[in-house]
Each structure stands twice: as structure tokens, then as C-alpha cells.
Amino acid sequence: MTSYPATINPTRTRIGWIGTGVMGGAMAARLLSGGYSVTIYARNPSKVVHLQSQGALLADSPSDLAGNSDVIFTMLGHPSDVRQIVLESLISSLNPNSIIIDHTSSHPVLAKQIFDAAREKNSWAVDAPVSGGDIGAREGKLAILAGGNEDVVKWLNPLFDVLGKATFVGGPGKGQSCKIANQIVVGANLMGLSEGLVFAEKAGLDKRKFVEAVKGGAAGSMVMELFGERMIGRDLRPGGFTEYMVKDLGMGLDVGAEEGDDVVVLPGAALNKQLFSAMVANGDGKLGTQGLITVIERINGK
């Protein structure tokens, strides 16, 4: 099935894109740089002028975009946005043999519903949330967690390779489940790094020297590489919004009950959700997740 429906080629494969925020905009720009024809639907066209300058076209509506695309990417904010735009708008306008790739961090059950609805239209859907933040998006180094049909995912690899590295993790919804598990690990790492930096400062250590000393050992992590200097330098610009981390951890805590499966006890994720929620309560929900250090500092009277 790797030739389904025809080999991906920048001169033939028509790309549609919805969602041009920090992550989505950088990802769409990479496809444009790769020579692909990309049509964008944006509620506020003035926000995609930079992509138009790179050659992007504009669609008047999601249905207009669907009718003129072979592969449609979405990178939205919340599951409610995915339901409204993908399930209730795009699906009905899909061409046969077209594919929707949803990069939003969304709910596994919703991903399964989208997959089933796409199949009814003789099309396909892949749930493919990503990890790697804004740096990974700009540099084409995202980890893409793909769920759906394995042959379809393989067929999409020429596109995924422009954005990062795709790993097929299972059937419909499994990409979203993988992203939730990813966020549980990332959240725990962010809390550990925040506490380590606050402790290091209280102990009179130079924070940069602390990071340099430990990053090659067991404490080192991609989170430390991506966010250590940002935390130290107070660069809290978002690669991913803190409010989205609250959403993702919340899905992890709730997903077992909603799917009727055995509930997974996640005490660390529950604590992390509360700490990130504290950022949102403090008015910092639009800051990057590295801003968690501000919560740990407040607890410690700084």
C-alpha cells in the first residue's frame, strides 16, 4: 500500500493546512520550503501573510480546502476545535482517497471517531501528535507519533520526513495515547528540572555550571537541553502553551474512565497537572511550559 493512491510528489500532491500557530506555522513553512503546494485555511488571514509570502494559497473555508487537497494537516488547540473543524466540517467535504493528519494533542476516542468517519468517505485519517516544541518544528526534528493504518503512515513518510521522524505506534487513537504518555514524562522532567534549578540557586551554585555538570549524567534529558537555558535566562516564550499541558495531563488522568478501561493511577501526573494549573491561575497559561519554574519559585518564597 506504500504507493497509495499515488506516490507523494511535491509537483502533484496537494497539501491543505489548518492551524498556523507557533507549531503549525513552522511546520507548514517547512513543507513550503520543501517545494510542496500548500493551501491554508485561517480564520484570520492576516496572521498567515508570512506563509503567503512563501507561496501558500488561501482557502475560503475548511470545506473549500478539503475539496482541493489530497492530504490535509491540522494543528489545532483543543479537542473541541478538532471536533468542530475536522469531524463536523472537513470530513463531509473529503475527496475519495484523501487523508487527514491531525497533529493536535487530542483525545484518543475522538481520533477513533475521525478515523471511522473518514473510512465512510473512502478516505483515511491519521492521528499524529508531535513532540519537540517550537525548535523541533522549525528544524524539522519533531517526533511524530502516528496512529491509524500502518501502510498509510508509511505512504506519508515523504511528508513526515520534512517535519521530523514518524513512528507508527498502533491503530486509530494510539498516536494520541502515545502523546499523553509523552506529556506525562515531559511534565515530570520539567518539574524535576525546575526543582533542581531552584535548589541549586538556594545552595549557592551557579545554575549554568550546575546544568553543564549534570547534563552528561543520569539527570541529563532532552527537556534539559531544550529548556534549561530558557529557564535560567527567563525566556518563557511558548513552544507549547502551558494551558495545553494542563489539557494533555487532564486527558491522561481521565482517559481510562472515559474509555471504560481500568483506571490508571498516576499520582505524579496529578501533581504536575496541579502545578501547571497554578501557572494558568496566575495568568501564565500562554507562557511556555518551562515557566513551571516560576511556580516552584513562588512556593519557595521567591
Side-chain angles (χ1 to χ4, degrees):
M1 194 170 184
T2 52
S3 60
Y4 164 91
T7 302
I8 288 176
N9 186 296
T11 62
R12 290 196 306 267
T13 306
R14 300 172 300 168
I15 306 298
W17 195 286
I18 301 178
T20 53
V22 173
M23 296 289 292
M27 295 164 73
R30 286 199 60 82
L31 289 173
L32 286 165
S33 296
Y36 286 94
S37 172
V38 179
T39 300
I40 295 171
Y41 169 71
R43 291 172 177 169
N44 187 346
S46 65
K47 292 186 177 181
V48 296
V49 171
H50 64 295
L51 294 173
Q52 286 182 275
S53 69
Q54 296 178 54
L57 306 174
L58 283 183
D60 294 329
S61 66
S63 58
D64 176 42
L65 180 139
N68 291 282
S69 300
D70 302 308
V71 180
I72 302 168
F73 292 82
T74 55
M75 175 60 102
L76 306 170
H78 295 274
S80 58
D81 300 318
V82 175
R83 180 173 295 279
Q84 178 186 1
I85 292 176
V86 178
L87 193 60
E88 297 175 0
S89 182
L90 281 176
I91 292 287
S92 62
S93 302
L94 286 179
N95 294 315
N97 291 329
S98 58
I99 299 173
I100 290 179
I101 305 166
D102 184 26
H103 286 307
T104 315
S105 295
S106 186
H107 201 288
V109 171
L110 179 56
K112 294 175 185 176
Q113 293 171 346
I114 291 170
F115 181 89
D116 291 341
R119 292 306 299 132
E120 291 179 3
K121 294 286 292 183
N122 196 29
S123 296
W124 296 92
V126 174
D127 53 294
V130 301
S131 182
D134 56 326
I135 295 175
R138 290 195 302 270
E139 296 182 353
K141 295 181 179 179
L142 292 171
I144 302 167
L145 317 171
N149 178 283
E150 186 171 9
D151 288 330
V152 172
V153 171
K154 289 179 180 177
W155 181 79
L156 290 166
N157 271 335
L159 294 171
F160 287 146
D161 287 347
V162 177
L163 307 176
K165 177 177 172 52
T167 301
F168 176 73
V169 296
K174 298 305 183 187
Q176 297 298 350
S177 294
C178 190
K179 178 58 184 288
I180 291 170
N182 176 86
Q183 296 299 77
I184 292 169
V185 175
V186 170
N189 274 271
L190 284 165
M191 181 174 71
L193 179 57
S194 297
E195 292 186 346
L197 286 169
V198 169
F199 176 84
E201 184 176 25
K202 290 279 188 179
L205 294 169
D206 180 292
K207 290 181 286 186
R208 288 185 172 86
K209 288 183 178 178
F210 157 68
V211 170
E212 184 65 29
V214 305
K215 69 180 184 180
S221 67
M222 184 59 70
V223 164
M224 184 175 284
E225 291 289 330
L226 289 173
F227 299 118
E229 179 56 36
R230 292 189 184 190
M231 286 182 173
I232 294 168
R234 278 300 182 274
D235 179 0
L236 304 183
R237 290 173 295 176
F241 294 134
T242 291
E243 64 184 23
Y244 292 169
M245 177 64 85
V246 174
K247 169 203 68 175
D248 294 345
L249 292 174
M251 288 190 294
L253 295 169
D254 296 339
V255 70
E258 290 194 20
E259 290 187 328
D261 298 332
D262 292 336
V263 175
V264 182
V265 180
L266 303 169
L271 174 58
N272 276 333
K273 180 175 181 288
Q274 291 301 309
L275 293 171
F276 284 110
S277 294
M279 278 188 67
V280 176
N282 288 330
D284 294 337
K286 296 295 187 183
L287 295 182
T289 51
Q290 68 271 26
L292 183 63
I293 193 170
T294 63
V295 176
I296 305 302
E297 288 174 340
R298 284 190 177 102
I299 293 172
N300 285 276
K302 183 176 178 181

